[in-house]
Each structure stands twice: as structure tokens, then as C-alpha cells.
């Protein structure tokens, strides 16, 4: 590489071909390890908008591409490794470090909202829109 534009293109290619696919399949332990050195790996970028967004992107129904984050406007069903399910709206503020939190309305007379989770990214098998 001789020019800055070649260097920049190479870096972007590495991010697209290596880093994003790695985030989409890495276990939570490895994602947390990467977080510790994220500025050296990815540059001066927000880990919530890159590392964690890319990691949660393995479940397309959970994320909002244009916002680079968890989509709080969609009611989802989370299926876990043990076969249990949980349904509700993702809470992006409470979902942190590879742990997903949902808000669900209880079907009682008061329609109280309850928090479900947190669910580790390692325990989630699928996420579908309801």
C-alpha cells in the first residue's frame, strides 16, 4: 500500500470481511475481552454502535440497522437454549454487555410492565418479531 486511500480501503475491507463476521458469532466471553481493547481493534468508535451492534446483528429481528442498535419498537420472542421463550419489547438502555433485557406487559388487571432477563447472548437461539 502506498497511499492513504489504499490503507483506508484495506482497513474497511478488514472490518467488513473479518471483524463484523467475528462479532456475529463470538461468544460473550470473547466479546467482553474484545471490549477491553476495542479502541486498538476498531479505532475510536462507540462499542455500543459497533461491537455490540454487530454481535446482536446475528439476530436481524432485534436490531435497527440505521440506528446501529437494538430496536425498541418491535415486540419480539426470544428463544433460549433450554427451549424457554420470553416475549416483550427490548430495553436498549438496560441491555448491556451482551445481556438482553425485555419489557413485557403482565396480563393482569393493572397491565403492569415487568422486566424479563437479562438473557446472555450465548443463551439465545433465536429472536423473532411477534
Amino acid at each position: 500500500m502506498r497511499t492513504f486511500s489504499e490503507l483506508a480501503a484495506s482497513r474497511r475491507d478488514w472490518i467488513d470481511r473479518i471483524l463484523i463476521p467475528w462479532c456475529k458469532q463470538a461468544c460473550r466471553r470473547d466479546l467482553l475481552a474484545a471490549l477491553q481493547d476495542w479502541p486498538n481493534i476498531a479505532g475510536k468508535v462507540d462499542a455500543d454502535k459497533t461491537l455490540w451492534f454487530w454481535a446482536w446483528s446475528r439476530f436481524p429481528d432485534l436490531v435497527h440497522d440505521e440506528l446501529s442498535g437494538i430496536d425498541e419498537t418491535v415486540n419480539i420472542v426470544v428463544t433460549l437454549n433450554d427451549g424457554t421463550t420470553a416475549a416483550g419489547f427490548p430495553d436498549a438502555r438496560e441491555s448491556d454487555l451482551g445481556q438482553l433485557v425485555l419489557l413485557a406487559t403482565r396480563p393482569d388487571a393493572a397491565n403492569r410492565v415487568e422486566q424479563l432477563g437479562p438473557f446472555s447472548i450465548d443463551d439465545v437461539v433465536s429472536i423473532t418479531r411477534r
Side-chain angles (χ1 to χ4, degrees):
M1 278 173 262
R2 294 188 165 194
T3 67
F4 175 74
S5 61
E6 290 173 332
L7 175 65
S10 170
R11 174 82 170 154
R12 184 73 219 154
D13 181 61
W14 179 80
I15 289 170
D16 289 342
R17 284 186 319 100
I18 306 297
L19 188 56
I20 293 172
W22 179 84
C23 290
K24 287 184 176 185
Q25 60 80 39
C27 68
R28 184 170 179 263
R29 182 190 72 244
D30 289 342
L31 291 163
L32 290 169
L35 179 63
Q36 299 306 308
D37 205 28
W38 198 243
N40 292 326
I41 296 169
K44 262 187 148 174
V45 294
D46 182 354
D48 287 335
K49 300 282 186 195
T50 54
L51 173 73
W52 296 113
F53 169 66
W54 294 334
W56 285 114
S57 292
R58 66 185 77 178
F59 306 109
D61 284 345
L62 176 65
V63 297
H64 190 289
D65 289 335
E66 291 177 20
L67 297 177
S68 298
I70 291 174
D71 187 350
E72 294 181 305
T73 66
V74 178
N75 196 354
I76 59 170
V77 176
V78 176
T79 303
L80 303 176
N81 289 332
D82 65 4
T84 60
T85 61
F89 289 87
D91 186 340
R93 289 177 303 276
E94 292 296 322
S95 299
D96 193 29
L97 301 174
Q99 302 271 24
L100 179 64
V101 174
L102 301 179
L103 297 176
T105 304
R106 293 183 63 166
D108 59 15
N111 283 329
R112 291 176 287 177
V113 174
E114 68 180 332
Q115 195 176 65
L116 305 176
F119 306 107
S120 171
I121 195 169
D122 292 340
D123 296 332
V124 177
V125 173
S126 68
I127 296 176
T128 55
R129 291 178 185 230
R130 205 164 170 193

